[in-house]
Amino acid sequence: MQTQAGLATNAIRKGTFKPIPRMTTPLTFGVELEFAVATTHVNNYDPHPAHPGRIYFVRPQRRLAPDSEQRARVHEALYIALRAAGLPLGLVPMFDYKTWFVTDDLTIDPPHRDAPCNDPIYRWHSAEVISPALYFYPEALTQIRVACATISTQFRVAATRTTGLHVHVGDGANGFSHSTLRNLIALLWGFEPQLQTLQPPHRHTETWCSPLRLDTKYAWNHPKWTIHTLLEDLFSPRLGTVEALVREFEVCGGDSCAVEFSNLDDPMVAVKQTIEFRAHPGTLDGDDVVMWVKTVVGLVQWARDADSGRLMSLMAYAEAGNDEFGVTSLLEMLGLREQAEFYKRKLHPLGVAQEDVGREYEIQDLARPRTDVLEVFGIGEDGEATRNNWEKDLIFDQYD
């Protein structure tokens, strides 16, 4: 008898499990890039002279935030560099989801003391760069590539162990329907072990991105859940509203879950009706960022477009286990073949010994400069854009 995974693979190959036709209205998304920036005094030597990024910030500049003098200079330099690269930023910083924005995150730690990217003369400063709310068009994704390339080329930066890549996905000003949220929760919960193999093990235990199966109200109240009982509950009148689903699957003991739904039921964030994906480690590799955006938007698109019959067909494979039905099979079944191809050689094992978790940060190097990306978009060695790469209609305006 064929396993569920074998049946799934055959279904994909034969084309009997076809991707859902996409609706024409694009979803919206935004990213938050977290990283640490190296600086040093102008009289100190340069530990990495081959790197083009600057480390001296001595010219008096206007402050952007009431942080330390040096951190304020770093943040302003980031703002100026991103604006020079042609990204949409105003003359004056404004956090309105319509421009890129530079801010701080004091939860970010410096690199490991033994990492090649570190040196005793460096002083590290935390930074976070937030994109505008963008429509999910290919052209919008190129803004992500330019932002990452600008930061990693013009500065000495490292996405350290305490950083994360956060992606918000929305449906414009509409919010999400109950059926979309129900389908997405079923997908994320049912295939959480598979999806966890996309991220390194230390992201499975962080209090800022706890697994849904571990630290949600539903997990605490239903320790003996099964896929069958989960689906029964998701389709029950008790969880028949978006508000009820958000409350049932909110974080319980930690700070945040790997996927946060709280923005969908918070009157204080009416302009940001989004689902936040927090599981990915911090990175300034534009290829990695773009592919993760494509992945989480793809998951939400599938949940938005699927009817209950297609959801049940998918969930039949949820108990097959990661060994029989891995994440690449899941992504292919969802019609995300580009993502499956990208991740198939980048998967992480589950159940890594605690002493080995996070070892990659002991050998971490500085983020790789990407002058090649900047050249493609007409950005010169001085960091100045020589042409306009984007139109304004890529940005979602919640007030239109």
Side-chain angles (χ1 to χ4, degrees):
M1 180 180 292
Q2 282 187 295
T3 63
Q4 295 278 36
L7 291 171
T9 302
N10 288 338
I12 294 167
R13 288 173 178 169
K14 294 177 181 178
T16 55
F17 197 106
K18 296 180 180 179
I20 301 172
R22 299 300 180 204
M23 297 175 68
T24 56
T25 305
L27 293 174
T28 49
F29 75 95
V31 300
E32 300 169 5
L33 306 171
E34 299 176 350
F35 51 95
V37 186
T39 69
T40 193
H41 191 273
V42 68
N43 292 330
N44 288 337
Y45 73 94
D46 187 345
H48 300 97
H51 195 289
R54 63 183 290 193
I55 53 174
Y56 305 119
F57 298 82
V58 296
R59 184 169 58 86
Q61 297 175 347
R62 247 180 328 108
R63 297 188 182 187
L64 295 181
D67 299 307
S68 70
E69 181 75 21
Q70 190 78 329
R71 184 179 294 116
R73 290 174 180 171
V74 169
H75 289 181
E76 181 163 22
L78 284 163
Y79 187 91
I80 292 171
L82 293 169
R83 190 169 188 273
L87 291 165
L89 292 97
L91 289 172
V92 178
M94 183 174 295
F95 190 30
D96 59 0
Y97 304 110
K98 292 187 286 187
T99 65
W100 287 80
F101 189 75
V102 181
T103 185
D104 202 359
D105 187 333
L106 297 179
T107 67
I108 297 171
D109 292 336
H112 190 280
R113 64 181 181 275
D114 297 327
C117 66
N118 209 347
D119 189 275
I121 73 162
Y122 279 152
R123 181 182 176 189
W124 293 89
H125 300 278
S126 56
E128 181 175 346
V129 170
I130 302 172
S131 79
L134 297 162
Y135 286 106
F136 185 65
Y137 291 130
E139 299 86 350
L141 295 172
T142 63
Q143 288 197 15
I144 309 297
R145 296 187 188 278
V146 169
C148 290
T150 298
I151 295 166
S152 65
T153 303
Q154 296 201 31
F155 301 88
R156 309 276 178 89
V157 294
T160 61
R161 177 170 175 165
T162 53
T163 65
L165 165 63
H166 302 159
V167 180
H168 289 260
V169 181
D171 193 5
N174 302 323
F176 287 106
S177 68
H178 172 265
S179 62
T180 297
L181 186 57
R182 178 200 64 205
N183 293 349
L184 182 63
I185 290 172
L187 169 60
L188 295 172
W189 187 289
F191 298 96
E192 187 167 63
Q194 287 88 339
L195 293 168
Q196 282 183 319
T197 63
L198 299 177
Q199 315 302 343
H202 79 277
R203 298 299 289 180
H204 306 166
T205 56
E206 290 284 350
T207 184
W208 296 102
C209 53
S210 300
L212 297 177
R213 293 184 178 190
L214 178 66
D215 197 22
T216 53
K217 182 179 177 182
Y218 185 86
W220 283 46
N221 290 339
H222 301 82
K224 296 183 179 180
W225 64 269
T226 65
I227 294 298
H228 178 72
T229 60
L230 170 73
L231 291 171
E232 278 191 338
D233 289 333
L234 287 175
F235 279 85
S236 70
R238 182 176 70 86
L239 298 181
T241 64
V242 168
E243 293 76 15
L245 286 170
V246 171
R247 288 193 297 269
E248 191 73 5
F249 291 91
E250 65 185 359
V251 67
C252 203
D255 294 286
S256 301
C257 280
V259 184
E260 278 288 316
F261 309 105
S262 55
N263 285 332
L264 300 178
D265 186 33
D266 187 344
M268 300 303 293
V269 291
V271 298
K272 192 171 70 171
Q273 291 288 306
T274 61
I275 298 166
E276 183 183 14
F277 293 82
R278 301 175 57 88
H280 201 289
T283 181
L284 287 164
D285 185 310
D287 295 336
D288 287 347
V289 176
V290 166
M291 191 56 65
W292 185 238
V293 171
K294 288 183 176 181
T295 300
V296 298
V297 171
L299 296 178
V300 177
Q301 283 179 329
W302 192 93
R304 183 181 69 168
D305 298 343
D307 58 25
S308 58
R310 188 165 287 267
L311 174 66
M312 293 303 182
S313 297
L314 177 69
M315 295 304 290
Y317 301 100
E319 293 180 332
N322 192 45
D323 291 336
E324 294 186 25
F325 185 69
V327 70
T328 54
S329 296
L330 172 65
L331 293 173
E332 288 177 355
M333 183 169 282
L334 298 175
L336 306 178
R337 292 184 173 84
E338 180 189 9
Q339 292 88 327
E341 182 66 24
F342 180 87
Y343 287 117
K344 70 180 182 181
R345 293 184 179 87
K346 296 174 174 281
L347 302 181
H348 298 270
L350 299 176
V352 174
Q354 188 60 37
E355 60 268 22
D356 293 327
V357 172
R359 282 284 176 86
E360 63 269 28
Y361 292 98
E362 297 178 17
I363 58 172
Q364 182 178 26
D365 214 333
L366 292 167
R368 181 164 64 101
R370 293 300 304 269
T371 54
D372 57 324
V373 173
L374 299 180
E375 288 174 3
V376 168
F377 290 93
I379 300 168
E381 292 183 2
D382 59 357
E384 294 282 342
T386 60
R387 65 173 185 261
N388 180 18
N389 288 299
W390 305 286
E391 301 298 331
K392 289 184 178 180
D393 59 3
L394 295 177
I395 298 173
F396 164 66
D397 187 345
Q398 63 270 21
Y399 300 110
D400 279 351

Short mmCIF file of all heavy atoms in Angstrom, two decimals, residues 189-231:
data_model
loop_
_atom_site.label_atom_id
_atom_site.label_comp_id
_atom_site.label_asym_id
_atom_site.label_seq_id
_atom_site.Cartn_x
_atom_site.Cartn_y
_atom_site.Cartn_z
N TRP A 189 -0.41 24.70 11.31
CA TRP A 189 -0.39 23.76 12.43
C TRP A 189 -0.13 22.34 11.94
O TRP A 189 0.72 21.62 12.47
CB TRP A 189 -1.70 23.83 13.19
CG TRP A 189 -1.73 23.03 14.46
CD1 TRP A 189 -1.74 21.67 14.60
CD2 TRP A 189 -1.73 23.55 15.79
NE1 TRP A 189 -1.75 21.30 15.91
CE2 TRP A 189 -1.75 22.44 16.67
CE3 TRP A 189 -1.74 24.84 16.33
CZ2 TRP A 189 -1.77 22.59 18.06
CZ3 TRP A 189 -1.76 24.99 17.71
CH2 TRP A 189 -1.78 23.88 18.56
N GLY A 190 -0.87 21.95 10.93
CA GLY A 190 -0.77 20.58 10.45
C GLY A 190 0.60 20.23 9.92
O GLY A 190 1.07 19.09 10.06
N PHE A 191 1.28 21.22 9.31
CA PHE A 191 2.58 20.95 8.69
C PHE A 191 3.71 21.75 9.35
O PHE A 191 4.73 22.02 8.73
CB PHE A 191 2.51 21.26 7.19
CG PHE A 191 1.52 20.40 6.46
CD1 PHE A 191 0.23 20.86 6.22
CD2 PHE A 191 1.84 19.11 6.07
CE1 PHE A 191 -0.71 20.08 5.57
CE2 PHE A 191 0.91 18.30 5.42
CZ PHE A 191 -0.38 18.79 5.17
N GLU A 192 3.53 22.06 10.62
CA GLU A 192 4.57 22.82 11.32
C GLU A 192 5.92 22.09 11.35
O GLU A 192 6.97 22.73 11.13
CB GLU A 192 4.12 23.17 12.74
CG GLU A 192 5.09 24.11 13.45
CD GLU A 192 4.51 24.69 14.72
OE1 GLU A 192 4.20 23.90 15.65
OE2 GLU A 192 4.36 25.92 14.81
N PRO A 193 5.98 20.78 11.61
CA PRO A 193 7.30 20.12 11.59
C PRO A 193 8.00 20.24 10.24
O PRO A 193 9.22 20.41 10.18
CB PRO A 193 6.95 18.66 11.92
CG PRO A 193 5.66 18.72 12.66
CD PRO A 193 4.90 19.86 12.03
N GLN A 194 7.25 20.15 9.16
CA GLN A 194 7.85 20.29 7.84
C GLN A 194 8.35 21.72 7.63
O GLN A 194 9.48 21.94 7.16
CB GLN A 194 6.83 19.93 6.75
CG GLN A 194 6.53 18.44 6.62
CD GLN A 194 5.41 17.99 7.54
OE1 GLN A 194 5.11 18.63 8.54
NE2 GLN A 194 4.79 16.87 7.21
N LEU A 195 7.54 22.69 7.97
CA LEU A 195 7.92 24.09 7.77
C LEU A 195 9.10 24.48 8.65
O LEU A 195 9.89 25.35 8.28
CB LEU A 195 6.72 25.00 8.03
CG LEU A 195 5.57 24.86 7.02
CD1 LEU A 195 4.32 25.57 7.52
CD2 LEU A 195 5.98 25.40 5.65
N GLN A 196 9.24 23.84 9.81
CA GLN A 196 10.37 24.16 10.68
C GLN A 196 11.71 23.78 10.06
O GLN A 196 12.73 24.38 10.41
CB GLN A 196 10.21 23.45 12.03
CG GLN A 196 9.21 24.12 12.95
CD GLN A 196 9.13 23.43 14.29
OE1 GLN A 196 9.16 22.21 14.38
NE2 GLN A 196 9.05 24.21 15.36
N THR A 197 11.73 22.84 9.14
CA THR A 197 12.99 22.45 8.51
C THR A 197 13.52 23.54 7.57
O THR A 197 14.66 23.45 7.11
CB THR A 197 12.85 21.13 7.73
OG1 THR A 197 11.92 21.29 6.65
CG2 THR A 197 12.38 20.01 8.64
N LEU A 198 12.73 24.57 7.31
CA LEU A 198 13.20 25.70 6.52
C LEU A 198 14.06 26.65 7.34
O LEU A 198 14.72 27.53 6.78
CB LEU A 198 12.01 26.46 5.92
CG LEU A 198 11.10 25.69 4.97
CD1 LEU A 198 9.95 26.58 4.53
CD2 LEU A 198 11.87 25.18 3.77
N GLN A 199 14.02 26.51 8.69
CA GLN A 199 14.73 27.44 9.56
C GLN A 199 15.73 26.69 10.44
O GLN A 199 15.50 25.53 10.79
CB GLN A 199 13.74 28.20 10.46
CG GLN A 199 12.51 28.72 9.76
CD GLN A 199 12.81 29.66 8.61
OE1 GLN A 199 13.92 30.18 8.51
NE2 GLN A 199 11.84 29.87 7.72
N PRO A 200 16.83 27.33 10.85
CA PRO A 200 17.80 26.67 11.74
C PRO A 200 17.19 26.37 13.09
O PRO A 200 16.23 27.02 13.52
CB PRO A 200 18.94 27.69 11.83
CG PRO A 200 18.32 29.00 11.46
CD PRO A 200 17.23 28.69 10.48
N PRO A 201 17.73 25.38 13.80
CA PRO A 201 17.11 24.90 15.05
C PRO A 201 16.91 25.97 16.13
O PRO A 201 15.96 25.88 16.90
CB PRO A 201 18.07 23.81 15.52
CG PRO A 201 18.72 23.31 14.27
CD PRO A 201 18.85 24.52 13.39
N HIS A 202 17.80 26.96 16.20
CA HIS A 202 17.63 27.93 17.28
C HIS A 202 16.35 28.76 17.12
O HIS A 202 15.84 29.30 18.11
CB HIS A 202 18.85 28.85 17.38
CG HIS A 202 18.90 29.95 16.36
ND1 HIS A 202 19.37 29.76 15.08
CD2 HIS A 202 18.52 31.26 16.42
CE1 HIS A 202 19.30 30.90 14.41
NE2 HIS A 202 18.78 31.82 15.19
N ARG A 203 15.79 28.81 15.92
CA ARG A 203 14.54 29.55 15.72
C ARG A 203 13.32 28.75 16.18
O ARG A 203 12.22 29.29 16.22
CB ARG A 203 14.38 29.92 14.24
CG ARG A 203 15.45 30.83 13.70
CD ARG A 203 15.51 32.16 14.40
NE ARG A 203 14.37 33.03 14.10
CZ ARG A 203 14.21 34.24 14.60
NH1 ARG A 203 15.08 34.73 15.48
NH2 ARG A 203 13.16 34.97 14.28
N HIS A 204 13.52 27.48 16.53
CA HIS A 204 12.40 26.65 16.98
C HIS A 204 12.12 26.84 18.47
O HIS A 204 11.10 26.37 18.97
CB HIS A 204 12.68 25.17 16.72
CG HIS A 204 13.03 24.86 15.31
ND1 HIS A 204 13.59 23.66 14.92
CD2 HIS A 204 12.92 25.60 14.17
CE1 HIS A 204 13.81 23.68 13.62
NE2 HIS A 204 13.41 24.84 13.15
N THR A 205 13.03 27.50 19.19
CA THR A 205 12.89 27.62 20.64
C THR A 205 12.94 29.06 21.13
O THR A 205 12.85 29.30 22.32
CB THR A 205 14.01 26.82 21.35
OG1 THR A 205 15.30 27.28 20.88
CG2 THR A 205 13.88 25.33 21.05
N GLU A 206 13.10 30.02 20.23
CA GLU A 206 13.17 31.42 20.65
C GLU A 206 11.82 31.89 21.18
O GLU A 206 10.77 31.58 20.61
CB GLU A 206 13.58 32.30 19.46
CG GLU A 206 15.02 32.13 19.01
CD GLU A 206 16.01 32.79 19.94
OE1 GLU A 206 15.58 33.55 20.84
OE2 GLU A 206 17.21 32.54 19.78
N THR A 207 11.86 32.67 22.25
CA THR A 207 10.61 33.18 22.84
C THR A 207 9.91 34.19 21.94
O THR A 207 8.73 34.46 22.10
CB THR A 207 10.89 33.82 24.21
OG1 THR A 207 9.66 34.23 24.82
CG2 THR A 207 11.79 35.05 24.06
N TRP A 208 10.65 34.74 20.96
CA TRP A 208 10.06 35.71 20.04
C TRP A 208 9.45 35.05 18.80
O TRP A 208 8.89 35.74 17.95
CB TRP A 208 11.11 36.74 19.60
CG TRP A 208 11.61 37.57 20.74
CD1 TRP A 208 12.80 37.43 21.41
CD2 TRP A 208 10.93 38.66 21.38
NE1 TRP A 208 12.92 38.35 22.41
CE2 TRP A 208 11.77 39.13 22.42
CE3 TRP A 208 9.71 39.28 21.19
CZ2 TRP A 208 11.43 40.18 23.25
CZ3 TRP A 208 9.35 40.33 22.01
CH2 TRP A 208 10.21 40.77 23.03
N CYS A 209 9.57 33.74 18.68
CA CYS A 209 8.97 33.05 17.51
C CYS A 209 8.67 31.60 17.89
O CYS A 209 9.11 30.66 17.24
CB CYS A 209 9.89 33.11 16.30
SG CYS A 209 11.58 32.54 16.56
N SER A 210 7.89 31.42 18.95
CA SER A 210 7.58 30.10 19.46
C SER A 210 6.69 29.31 18.49
O SER A 210 5.82 29.90 17.82
CB SER A 210 6.86 30.21 20.81
OG SER A 210 7.67 30.87 21.75
N PRO A 211 6.86 27.99 18.41
CA PRO A 211 5.99 27.18 17.55
C PRO A 211 4.53 27.26 17.98
O PRO A 211 4.21 27.38 19.17
CB PRO A 211 6.54 25.77 17.75
CG PRO A 211 7.94 25.95 18.21
CD PRO A 211 7.93 27.20 19.04
N LEU A 212 3.62 27.20 17.01
CA LEU A 212 2.19 27.23 17.31
C LEU A 212 1.79 26.04 18.18
O LEU A 212 0.95 26.17 19.07
CB LEU A 212 1.38 27.23 16.01
CG LEU A 212 1.56 28.43 15.07
CD1 LEU A 212 0.73 28.21 13.81
CD2 LEU A 212 1.18 29.73 15.75
N ARG A 213 2.37 24.87 17.90
CA ARG A 213 2.01 23.67 18.64
C ARG A 213 2.51 23.69 20.09
O ARG A 213 2.09 22.87 20.89
CB ARG A 213 2.58 22.43 17.95
CG ARG A 213 1.95 22.12 16.59
CD ARG A 213 2.52 20.82 16.05
NE ARG A 213 1.93 20.43 14.77
CZ ARG A 213 2.12 19.24 14.20
NH1 ARG A 213 2.91 18.36 14.80
NH2 ARG A 213 1.55 18.95 13.04
N LEU A 214 3.41 24.62 20.38
CA LEU A 214 4.02 24.66 21.71
C LEU A 214 3.45 25.75 22.60
O LEU A 214 3.22 25.53 23.79
CB LEU A 214 5.54 24.87 21.56
CG LEU A 214 6.36 24.99 22.85
CD1 LEU A 214 6.33 23.66 23.61
CD2 LEU A 214 7.79 25.41 22.54
N ASP A 215 3.21 26.94 22.03
CA ASP A 215 2.95 28.08 22.91
C ASP A 215 1.77 28.94 22.47
O ASP A 215 1.84 30.16 22.49
CB ASP A 215 4.21 28.94 23.03
CG ASP A 215 4.14 29.89 24.21
OD1 ASP A 215 3.38 29.61 25.15
OD2 ASP A 215 4.84 30.92 24.19
N THR A 216 0.69 28.31 22.03
CA THR A 216 -0.55 29.03 21.80
C THR A 216 -1.57 28.61 22.85
O THR A 216 -1.44 27.57 23.49
CB THR A 216 -1.12 28.73 20.40
OG1 THR A 216 -1.23 27.31 20.24
CG2 THR A 216 -0.24 29.31 19.31
N LYS A 217 -2.59 29.42 22.97
CA LYS A 217 -3.66 29.09 23.91
C LYS A 217 -4.29 27.75 23.56
O LYS A 217 -4.60 26.93 24.45
CB LYS A 217 -4.72 30.21 23.88
CG LYS A 217 -5.87 30.01 24.84
CD LYS A 217 -6.84 31.19 24.74
CE LYS A 217 -8.05 30.99 25.65
NZ LYS A 217 -9.01 32.12 25.51
N TYR A 218 -4.46 27.48 22.27
CA TYR A 218 -5.04 26.21 21.84
C TYR A 218 -4.15 25.05 22.25
O TYR A 218 -4.65 24.01 22.72
CB TYR A 218 -5.26 26.20 20.33
CG TYR A 218 -5.98 24.96 19.84
CD1 TYR A 218 -7.38 24.91 19.82
CD2 TYR A 218 -5.28 23.85 19.39
CE1 TYR A 218 -8.05 23.78 19.39
CE2 TYR A 218 -5.94 22.71 18.95
CZ TYR A 218 -7.32 22.68 18.96
OH TYR A 218 -7.98 21.54 18.54
N ALA A 219 -2.85 25.18 22.09
CA ALA A 219 -1.93 24.09 22.47
C ALA A 219 -1.98 23.82 23.96
O ALA A 219 -1.96 22.66 24.39
CB ALA A 219 -0.51 24.45 22.03
N TRP A 220 -2.05 24.86 24.76
CA TRP A 220 -2.09 24.69 26.21
C TRP A 220 -3.41 24.06 26.66
O TRP A 220 -3.43 23.25 27.60
CB TRP A 220 -1.88 26.04 26.91
CG TRP A 220 -0.47 26.52 26.91
CD1 TRP A 220 0.40 26.53 25.87
CD2 TRP A 220 0.24 27.08 28.02
NE1 TRP A 220 1.61 27.06 26.24
CE2 TRP A 220 1.55 27.41 27.55
CE3 TRP A 220 -0.10 27.35 29.34
CZ2 TRP A 220 2.51 28.00 28.38
CZ3 TRP A 220 0.87 27.94 30.16
CH2 TRP A 220 2.15 28.24 29.70
N ASN A 221 -4.49 24.44 26.00
CA ASN A 221 -5.81 23.94 26.42
C ASN A 221 -6.17 22.59 25.82
O ASN A 221 -7.12 21.94 26.27
CB ASN A 221 -6.90 24.95 26.04
CG ASN A 221 -6.81 26.22 26.87
OD1 ASN A 221 -6.23 26.23 27.96
ND2 ASN A 221 -7.38 27.30 26.37
N HIS A 222 -5.42 22.16 24.79
CA HIS A 222 -5.72 20.89 24.12
C HIS A 222 -4.43 20.08 23.96
O HIS A 222 -3.97 19.85 22.82
CB HIS A 222 -6.37 21.13 22.75
CG HIS A 222 -7.65 21.91 22.82
ND1 HIS A 222 -7.67 23.29 22.90
CD2 HIS A 222 -8.94 21.50 22.82
CE1 HIS A 222 -8.93 23.70 22.95
NE2 HIS A 222 -9.72 22.64 22.90
N PRO A 223 -3.84 19.64 25.06
CA PRO A 223 -2.55 18.93 24.96
C PRO A 223 -2.65 17.59 24.22
O PRO A 223 -1.63 17.07 23.76
CB PRO A 223 -2.16 18.73 26.43
CG PRO A 223 -3.45 18.79 27.19
CD PRO A 223 -4.30 19.77 26.45
N LYS A 224 -3.84 17.02 24.10
CA LYS A 224 -4.00 15.73 23.42
C LYS A 224 -4.65 15.90 22.04
O LYS A 224 -5.33 15.00 21.54
CB LYS A 224 -4.83 14.78 24.28
CG LYS A 224 -4.16 14.43 25.60
CD LYS A 224 -4.98 13.44 26.41
CE LYS A 224 -4.29 13.07 27.71
NZ LYS A 224 -5.08 12.10 28.51
N TRP A 225 -4.42 17.02 21.41
CA TRP A 225 -5.02 17.30 20.11
C TRP A 225 -4.57 16.28 19.07
O TRP A 225 -3.50 15.68 19.18
CB TRP A 225 -4.65 18.71 19.64
CG TRP A 225 -3.17 18.88 19.42
CD1 TRP A 225 -2.24 19.30 20.32
CD2 TRP A 225 -2.45 18.58 18.22
NE1 TRP A 225 -0.98 19.30 19.77
CE2 TRP A 225 -1.08 18.86 18.48
CE3 TRP A 225 -2.82 18.11 16.96
CZ2 TRP A 225 -0.08 18.68 17.52
CZ3 TRP A 225 -1.84 17.93 16.01
CH2 TRP A 225 -0.49 18.22 16.29
N THR A 226 -5.38 16.11 18.07
CA THR A 226 -5.02 15.36 16.86
C THR A 226 -5.42 16.22 15.66
O THR A 226 -6.13 17.23 15.81
CB THR A 226 -5.75 14.01 16.78
OG1 THR A 226 -7.16 14.26 16.63
CG2 THR A 226 -5.49 13.17 18.03
N ILE A 227 -4.97 15.85 14.48
CA ILE A 227 -5.37 16.59 13.29
C ILE A 227 -6.89 16.56 13.16
O ILE A 227 -7.52 17.57 12.80
CB ILE A 227 -4.71 16.00 12.03
CG1 ILE A 227 -3.19 16.20 12.09
CG2 ILE A 227 -5.28 16.65 10.77
CD1 ILE A 227 -2.75 17.66 12.12
N HIS A 228 -7.49 15.43 13.48
CA HIS A 228 -8.96 15.31 13.39
C HIS A 228 -9.64 16.28 14.35
O HIS A 228 -10.57 17.00 13.95
CB HIS A 228 -9.38 13.88 13.69
CG HIS A 228 -10.86 13.66 13.69
ND1 HIS A 228 -11.61 13.66 12.52
CD2 HIS A 228 -11.74 13.48 14.71
CE1 HIS A 228 -12.88 13.48 12.83
NE2 HIS A 228 -12.99 13.36 14.15
N THR A 229 -9.20 16.30 15.61
CA THR A 229 -9.85 17.20 16.58
C THR A 229 -9.55 18.66 16.26
O THR A 229 -10.40 19.53 16.49
CB THR A 229 -9.40 16.87 18.01
OG1 THR A 229 -7.96 17.02 18.11
CG2 THR A 229 -9.80 15.45 18.40
N LEU A 230 -8.37 18.94 15.73
CA LEU A 230 -8.06 20.31 15.34
C LEU A 230 -9.04 20.79 14.28
O LEU A 230 -9.60 21.89 14.37
CB LEU A 230 -6.63 20.39 14.80
CG LEU A 230 -6.25 21.72 14.13
CD1 LEU A 230 -6.07 22.82 15.15
CD2 LEU A 230 -4.97 21.56 13.28
N LEU A 231 -9.25 19.98 13.25
CA LEU A 231 -10.16 20.37 12.18
C LEU A 231 -11.60 20.49 12.69
O LEU A 231 -12.34 21.39 12.27
CB LEU A 231 -10.07 19.37 11.03
CG LEU A 231 -8.75 19.39 10.26
CD1 LEU A 231 -8.68 18.22 9.28
CD2 LEU A 231 -8.57 20.72 9.52
#
